Amino acid sequence: MCGIVGYVGSDNAKEIIIDGLKRLEYRGYDSAGVAVVQDGKILLKKHVGGIANLENLIGDDPMASGTGIGHTRWATHGAPSDVNAHPHLSADEQIAVVHNGIIENYVELRKMLTEQHGIRFRSETDSEVIAQLIGIHYEGNLEDAVYKAVAQMRGAYAISVIAADQPEKIVAVRKDAPLIAGLGKGCNFIASDIPALLKYVKEIYLIENNETVVLTPDSVKIYDDERNEVSRDVFHVTWDADAAEKEGYEHFMLKEIYEQPKGLHETISRRLNEDGTIKLDGISMTREDIEGFNKIYIVACGTAYHAGLVGKYIIEKLAKVPVEVDVASEFRYRDPYVDDKTLFIAISQSGETLDTLAALREAKRKGARVLSVVNVVGSSVARESDDVFYTWAGPEIAVASTKAYTTQLMCMYLIGLYMGYEKGTITREYYDQFIADLMDVSGKLEASLKNAGIIEGLSRMLYNKEQVFFIGRGLDSSVSYEGSLKLKEISYINSFAIAAGELKHGTIALIEPGTLVVTLATQDFLYEKMLSNIQEVKARGAHVLSIAKEGNTEIETHSNEVLYIPACRDEITPLLSVVPLQLFAYYVARERGCNIDKPKNLAKSVTVE
Ligand code: F6R
């Protein structure tokens, strides 16, 4: 989705902004632009396409200025084009604005600006309305004009604004879209995301909803919606700049797949007390609270939703409480039955997914206790939850989620075990053994990543399949959804996942000689049932690639190929079985020449409906 970077200081703002925008490229965008204040004027450059196009447009122009704002746009209102790219200017070209989000009443505002102020709009965007509104209100005090404009706007936005006659000032506002201020020495920064600033600052302010920030080279002041100055604790970013670099890997996705053993280890090892019990840092749930929940909803989107499917299985099994999993865009509009005995668990890597955020608010409004499992510290989902449980995955840059998923799974196990143990639905012995097994996973995963070469070889054979099916039972079925999503989103192969037992109720009609069927068969107690499903597709000529536990050589007689995961208890196979599927998707996409880290039409953080 859109990205914002702004700089005010004595270095070349344009260079810092472009560098920051490049670090946000992973979020997905279709045009980019930058505006700086130069000699009492706004100098604007923007171009459709990648940042390289913008750099070509700028050419040798130093755009010498210490104050500027930049943007990467992901089109919502108005097609990707030069004019629709941000920044947008006011009619008199005195104000430049970048905007993330959507202005819901832009049609009405546009009409008012056209009819009452004679403004001729240059673009089709909702965002230009903001520049024009600030323009009509501007009388030399930028903060005043921004406050007046914001009072007329409805919707979600993070905006950053500069004025031609204010060479050392940026004014920014946040409402329901992420915004941070970076604190430098003799310079300050504004951005939509931490990775944009990692190279420059480690100390930031997390800007809250309805707050306005005024940045100059020497100060960052935050004001509430009534213009009272508010104080804010400095947030120290622990991610290092390398975490957002490829470090020799061909793609971020591959790097992030390889970071999973570390992410899993971080996520569990920081949560164990000396006596081996789990401490849910960030969660203040008492035994009474846990016993009082009569229902749990897990709500999320995409890959995070798939983590929720595993979560349902685990939490129901361990804590003996009914769990329903829903995609956020459905949950929020279906008037779900939620009350004060409901625990609502939101899962989100970015913590900024609009549907998840809206579902969370709906659940809260109805009285649910809200717990979120989030990767980005300080994100909106985290801030609006009663309790937050962080997945310590580090920054995830590739659009296709990998390490966020496995760390989300780890959180599901920890929450399930914690609740089960507190409620007394599992024994101490079972609990201890389960935790020990989870502690072993990262080592097992590390070892199994050494087999990546086998998967690479396989993908060379199978990359040109036109459609692929993923089937499994129980936990394997949840993982098959994720395997299928990974493949389709980065390789553009038409892939489809279905619970293996459901195949014969319709989908089997699509199986033809040569159709690739990836079968997950890691659940010992379902193995024989799964074999029957494998036979069904084999009988119709399918090419069967199976995922099984080491030691199960028997499955080779039913499969064309088998990829093995280390032997482990059935309940934790998802942490291991998803990895060959991630690698398979990766190598197939590479073989097909796809843009792996930035697949077409997708964005890393979906902050619109
Ligand atoms: C797929 C993927 C998406 C996200 C989904 C939710 O690889 O990354 O399906 O999982 O958009 O995003 P978050 O977790 O940021 O809420």
Side-chain angles (χ1 to χ4, degrees):
M1 295 268 121
C2 310
I4 290 178
V5 184
Y7 172 83
V8 54
S10 50
D11 289 330
N12 183 296
K14 177 257 300 180
E15 311 245 304
I16 291 167
I17 291 165
I18 298 237
D19 178 71
L21 291 179
K22 284 183 179 163
R23 288 163 204 281
L24 294 184
E25 279 190 295
Y26 71 92
R27 292 167 57 92
Y29 70 105
D30 44 51
S31 53
V34 59
V36 299
V37 180
Q38 196 186 60
D39 304 328
K41 293 200 177 84
I42 301 242
L43 181 56
L44 170 69
K45 305 273 183 186
K46 52 185 187 171
H47 208 293
V48 71
I51 291 171
N53 291 1
L54 174 65
E55 285 180 300
N56 283 340
L57 175 74
I58 296 171
D60 296 334
D61 187 343
M63 295 183 78
S65 168
T67 302
I69 50 177
H71 192 259
T72 45
R73 171 175 189 251
W74 191 82
T76 55
H77 294 60
S81 69
D82 291 352
V83 273
N84 287 338
H86 299 214
H88 290 287
L89 296 181
S90 56
D92 59 5
E93 303 191 355
Q94 293 300 293
I95 301 288
V97 171
V98 290
H99 165 225
N100 287 359
I102 287 178
I103 303 303
E104 284 161 7
N105 60 337
Y106 86 101
V107 175
E108 171 194 317
L109 290 172
R110 202 174 160 115
K111 188 162 178 278
M112 179 275 288
L113 287 160
T114 312
E115 289 174 1
Q116 294 175 26
H117 297 271
I119 295 208
R120 294 176 58 161
F121 280 80
R122 303 177 182 94
S123 78
E124 303 153 284
T125 64
D126 55 333
S127 308
E128 189 184 345
V129 159
I130 309 171
Q132 302 295 6
L133 268 183
I134 298 173
I136 61 162
H137 291 305
Y138 187 58
E139 288 173 344
N141 183 323
L142 190 55
E143 296 92 306
D144 270 357
V146 170
Y147 267 100
K148 284 181 186 154
V150 162
Q152 293 173 276
M153 287 157 37
R154 276 202 323 272
Y157 44 84
I159 60 172
S160 291
V161 190
I162 51 173
D165 61 355
Q166 307 270 335
E168 295 200 321
K169 185 180 280 187
I170 298 176
V171 177
V173 186
R174 173 201 161 118
K175 180 169 175 283
D176 291 339
L179 193 66
I180 55 165
L183 312 176
K185 290 200 169 53
C187 62
N188 288 301
F189 303 77
I190 193 86
S192 50
D193 300 82
I194 295 172
L197 305 185
L198 279 180
K199 189 170 150 193
Y200 304 98
V201 283
K202 284 287 167 57
E203 303 207 317
I204 62 170
Y205 287 145
L206 298 168
I207 309 304
E208 302 280 354
N209 268 343
N210 301 313
E211 286 182 345
T212 299
V213 202
V214 180
L215 301 103
T216 66
D218 307 311
S219 69
V220 176
K221 295 198 165 157
I222 306 176
Y223 301 90
D224 66 15
D225 52 355
E226 285 170 355
R227 303 190 69 167
N228 303 309
E229 190 172 343
V230 290
S231 65
R232 179 67 26 88
D233 292 340
V234 173
F235 179 82
H236 296 270
V237 180
T238 51
W239 296 349
D240 56 24
D242 290 351
E245 303 286 346
K246 281 195 209 137
E247 290 177 332
Y249 285 92
E250 199 176 335
H251 296 96
F252 278 112
M253 181 177 174
L254 190 61
K255 176 183 174 233
E256 288 161 7
I257 290 173
Y258 275 84
E259 283 172 345
Q260 292 180 107
K262 181 168 170 249
L264 289 174
H265 181 74
E266 292 274 301
T267 306
I268 182 169
S269 60
R270 294 194 194 190
R271 264 74 184 241
L272 295 184
N273 294 311
E274 277 180 11
D275 65 354
T277 54
I278 296 166
K279 65 168 180 263
L280 293 190
D281 55 324
I283 302 187
S284 54
M285 241 178 252
T286 61
R287 175 169 304 179
E288 291 69 48
D289 292 337
I290 293 171
E291 281 168 351
F293 298 134
N294 59 14
K295 177 168 196 175
I296 298 179
Y297 273 109
I298 305 182
V299 176
C301 304
T303 287
Y305 166 74
H306 296 154
L309 295 175
V310 175
K312 169 185 166 68
Y313 188 99
I314 296 302
I315 297 173
E316 278 188 345
K317 184 178 171 91
L318 302 181
K320 308 286 182 241
V321 53
V323 182
E324 207 177 306
V325 195
D326 208 347
V327 286
S329 52
E330 287 300 314
F331 178 90
R332 61 183 289 200
Y333 291 119
R334 72 174 166 85
D335 193 17
Y337 182 74
V338 171
D339 62 17
D340 59 359
K341 292 197 168 46
T342 307
L343 173 65
F344 177 94
I345 304 181
I347 309 180
S348 176
Q349 187 285 128
S350 62
E352 301 295 347
T353 302
L354 190 73
D355 282 322
T356 307
L357 199 54
L360 177 159
R361 289 176 184 153
E362 170 72 1
K364 229 176 160 177
R365 195 180 60 75
K366 291 183 162 170
R369 168 87 171 248
V370 173
L371 158 62
S372 61
V373 174
V374 176
N375 194 39
V376 178
V377 175
S379 56
S380 305
V381 169
R383 281 189 278 176
E384 294 194 26
S385 302
D386 299 307
D387 301 287
V388 189
F389 200 47
Y390 285 109
T391 51
W392 296 111
E396 190 177 68
I397 306 290
V399 164
S401 186
T402 53
K403 61 178 181 171
Y405 173 76
T406 42
T407 52
Q408 285 160 355
L409 294 187
M410 184 59 95
C411 292
M412 293 293 110
Y413 290 109
L414 294 175
I415 291 170
L417 280 165
Y418 183 84
M419 292 178 81
Y421 185 57
E422 286 294 316
K423 274 180 83 175
T425 45
I426 50 176
T427 63
R428 176 72 198 240
E429 197 189 348
Y430 178 88
Y431 172 83
D432 286 343
Q433 189 52 53
F434 207 124
I435 294 173
D437 291 347
L438 286 173
M439 282 297 285
D440 280 349
V441 164
S442 86
K444 287 186 171 170
L445 189 51
E446 189 93 58
S448 72
L449 280 167
K450 299 207 168 78
N451 297 329
I454 300 174
I455 302 171
E456 187 177 4
L458 257 182
S459 68
R460 278 200 207 105
M461 259 168 57
L462 300 172
Y463 75 94
N464 55 6
K465 294 282 179 191
E466 277 170 18
Q467 59 178 1
V468 180
F469 292 85
F470 289 76
I471 60 171
R473 284 173 173 263
L475 282 171
D476 281 340
S477 129
S478 310
V479 177
S480 67
Y481 290 113
E482 178 55 10
S484 170
L485 179 64
K486 281 298 82 94
L487 186 68
K488 78 176 85 159
E489 69 180 325
I490 59 168
S491 75
Y492 317 136
I493 292 177
N494 184 6
S495 83
F496 189 82
I498 184 164
E502 267 294 290
L503 253 185
K504 56 185 168 300
H505 298 291
T507 307
I508 202 161
L510 295 171
I511 307 293
E512 288 179 357
T515 303
L516 177 59
V517 180
V518 180
T519 70
L520 285 91
T522 71
Q523 301 296 293
D524 294 344
F525 79 108
L526 290 168
Y527 181 63
E528 285 182 1
K529 303 279 169 216
M530 195 56 210
L531 270 191
S532 308
N533 300 126
I534 295 178
Q535 295 306 343
E536 284 163 11
V537 293
K538 270 272 332 158
R540 283 151 186 94
H543 183 121
V544 172
L545 166 59
S546 293
I547 312 288
K549 280 186 195 157
E550 256 161 24
N552 178 359
T553 48
E554 198 261 350
I555 197 168
E556 291 174 16
T557 57
H558 310 281
S559 317
N560 294 72
E561 295 90 17
V562 181
L563 292 172
Y564 286 107
I565 62 164
C568 60
R569 67 160 70 225
D570 277 5
E571 294 91 330
I572 62 177
T573 57
L575 290 166
L576 296 161
S577 60
V578 73
V579 179
L581 303 183
Q582 294 167 341
L583 284 167
F584 183 65
Y586 172 81
Y587 286 119
V588 165
R590 199 181 68 173
E591 208 58 43
R592 290 165 74 93
C594 299
N595 189 350
I596 293 180
D597 283 338
K598 281 174 266 164
K600 69 171 187 243
N601 303 342
L602 295 178
K604 182 66 184 158
S605 167
V606 185
T607 49
V608 291
E609 256 195 81

